[in-house]
Amino acid sequence: MFSFLIKRITYGIFVLAGVVIVVFFLFQGFGDPARLVLGQTGDSATIQNVRKELALDQPKWKQFLFYLNDVSPISINTEKDIQEKQLKGFFIGGKEKIGLKIPYLRRSYQSKRPVITILMKALPGTIILSFSAMLLAILLGIPLGVLSAVKQNTWMDSSAVFTSVLGISAPSFFIGIVIAYIFGFVLHKYTGLYMTGSLYEYDPVSGKHLALQNLILPAITLGIRPLAIITQLTRSAMLDVLNKDYIRTAYAKGLSKKAVVWKHALPNALNPVATAVTGWFAELLAGTFFIEYIFNWKGIGKVTVDALENLDFPVVMGSVLVTASFFVIVNILADVLYTVIDPRVKLTN
């Protein structure tokens, strides 16, 4: 187990290093960050000062090393850097201090706020949306998969398979637009739902209050694809398990069909489903970008799209790094969880 974790963490570090290289050289080549900070009214002297402050007067390779030192949890900084950047962590040394710190994702060009603060404020909205979508997919997908397997070759089975294929194939952004328009606009009188909205609403009288109804449409939209996947996986696993000898033995002992299906077959069919759930949660975190933008849901996706529109590249770069980190962590946890669910699986890869 320990050697497997070390190997997977090492792979994850290489993945994140690749992401850092890509996002830096991709976004560093767009526009002039000094001009983005000051706008079109900045004079040449001020622009040069900002370029020096952002190390834009240095060669690209040196700029990259500075950026790598900022985003790395282990870095070398001066006392001045620690104070100006408000770095949080443990530092030791003299003039040049080496330390273990929270990665410094720099500051927004537009708001001048630390990027990590902006993203951490938006992260709960994305996690809540992702958890809601996955919970919806699990609660509906597993029973639909079981029903489809038990009623194999009937209209129920055909309908479930057709709907699953449609859910997997349809683009999320297109489904989001359709659902928002139909249920949030055309049928708003009956559903009471809106096309857009965030988790909290502000009332001039009562102030800030929770608005869970705004979560319904984006959660359904985001949960359609994992719902289809879970339904298909549950159906396939159940069809395989229902043909096992111990299932026939259970029937021979006089157990009811309900007991055989739900108490004996389903628990043994959930291994691939559990793996898919953990893997798809990472996918959902990345897939919320379009959904949050369509439904104006305040999360990392919405913040990133807004930052792109404003050419606020530090926020975009920070968002990509945070999302990639979650992707790596969740996939490692998925591998470990698979061995907990099925001890027959060995962590050798």
Side-chain angles (χ1 to χ4, degrees):
M1 171 71 79
F2 181 74
S3 61
F4 168 81
L5 288 176
I6 293 297
K7 187 179 293 186
R8 295 294 289 176
I9 290 172
T10 303
Y11 289 159
I13 291 174
F14 279 115
V15 169
L16 292 177
V19 172
V20 169
I21 294 172
V22 170
V23 297
F24 175 81
F25 287 101
L26 178 62
F27 292 104
Q28 193 70 21
F30 286 88
D32 184 353
R35 179 65 70 182
L36 294 176
V37 172
L38 298 173
Q40 299 301 318
T41 59
D43 58 83
S44 58
T46 307
I47 290 177
Q48 289 303 319
N49 289 335
V50 173
R51 288 180 60 82
K52 185 176 182 180
E53 179 185 347
L54 298 175
L56 298 174
D57 57 339
Q58 302 293 329
K60 288 290 184 183
W61 65 269
K62 189 172 289 189
Q63 293 181 38
F64 174 70
L65 290 181
F66 289 149
Y67 182 70
L68 188 61
N69 190 64
D70 283 341
V71 300
S72 173
I74 300 175
S75 63
I76 300 174
N77 299 96
T78 63
E79 187 66 36
K80 181 180 178 182
D81 289 336
I82 295 173
Q83 293 178 358
E84 288 182 351
K85 297 177 181 179
Q86 298 179 350
L87 302 181
K88 297 179 180 179
F90 301 96
F91 299 90
I92 57 174
K95 185 177 180 181
E96 298 285 338
K97 299 180 182 294
I98 185 171
L100 181 66
K101 67 174 183 8
I102 297 175
Y104 176 61
L105 303 180
R106 300 190 171 179
R107 292 180 178 271
S108 164
Y109 289 159
Q110 303 298 328
S111 66
K112 309 300 187 294
R113 296 167 58 204
V115 171
I116 190 69
T117 302
I118 296 173
L119 295 180
M120 289 303 102
K121 184 177 180 180
L123 183 61
T126 296
I127 293 179
I128 290 173
L129 177 57
S130 299
F131 265 114
S132 301
M134 185 55 71
L135 182 63
L136 176 68
I138 292 172
L139 293 180
L140 294 180
I142 292 177
L144 286 175
V146 172
L147 180 63
S148 180
V150 173
K151 301 292 184 180
Q152 186 183 16
N153 298 324
T154 66
W155 67 270
M156 292 184 182
D157 183 29
S158 301
S159 300
V161 171
F162 174 77
T163 305
S164 297
V165 172
L166 188 63
I168 295 172
S169 305
S172 296
F173 67 88
F174 174 74
I175 295 177
I177 294 173
V178 172
I179 288 179
Y181 177 72
I182 293 177
F183 295 99
F185 180 72
V186 176
L187 301 178
H188 166 70
K189 179 179 178 181
Y190 306 100
T191 63
L193 303 175
Y194 295 92
M195 292 181 65
T196 61
S198 60
L199 185 61
Y200 291 95
E201 292 182 347
Y202 294 86
D203 185 270
V205 178
S206 61
K208 181 179 179 181
H209 66 276
L210 196 64
L212 288 176
Q213 71 274 11
N214 293 334
L215 179 63
I216 296 174
L217 294 184
I220 290 175
T221 303
L222 190 62
I224 286 177
R225 183 164 291 183
L227 167 61
I229 295 289
I230 291 173
T231 301
Q232 289 277 39
L233 286 175
T234 305
R235 177 183 181 274
S236 299
M238 284 293 294
L239 289 176
D240 180 60
V241 169
L242 288 173
N243 289 322
K244 299 293 185 181
D245 290 338
Y246 69 87
I247 297 297
R248 287 190 285 268
T249 301
Y251 278 122
K253 289 182 177 180
L255 294 178
S256 65
K257 186 174 183 179
K258 180 180 179 181
V260 171
V261 170
W262 293 100
K263 293 184 179 181
H264 294 273
L266 181 59
N268 291 285
L270 287 180
N271 289 345
V273 178
T275 306
V277 167
T278 52
W280 263 97
F281 184 72
E283 296 280 350
L284 287 181
L285 286 173
T288 56
F289 280 54
F290 290 112
I291 304 303
E292 289 180 3
Y293 186 73
I294 291 171
F295 290 96
N296 197 35
W297 182 264
K298 289 180 175 58
I300 283 186
K302 181 67 167 57
V303 167
T304 305
V305 175
D306 289 343
L308 273 172
E309 291 180 346
N310 295 321
L311 302 179
D312 200 347
F313 294 138
V315 176
V316 179
M317 296 163 73
S319 173
V320 173
L321 290 179
V322 169
T323 304
S325 299
F326 268 101
F327 218 95
V328 170
I329 293 171
V330 171
N331 277 288
I332 293 175
L333 292 177
D335 290 334
V336 175
L337 179 62
Y338 197 22
T339 62
V340 174
I341 296 174
D342 189 355
R344 295 171 298 178
V345 177
K346 301 296 183 182
L347 296 178
T348 56
N349 296 323

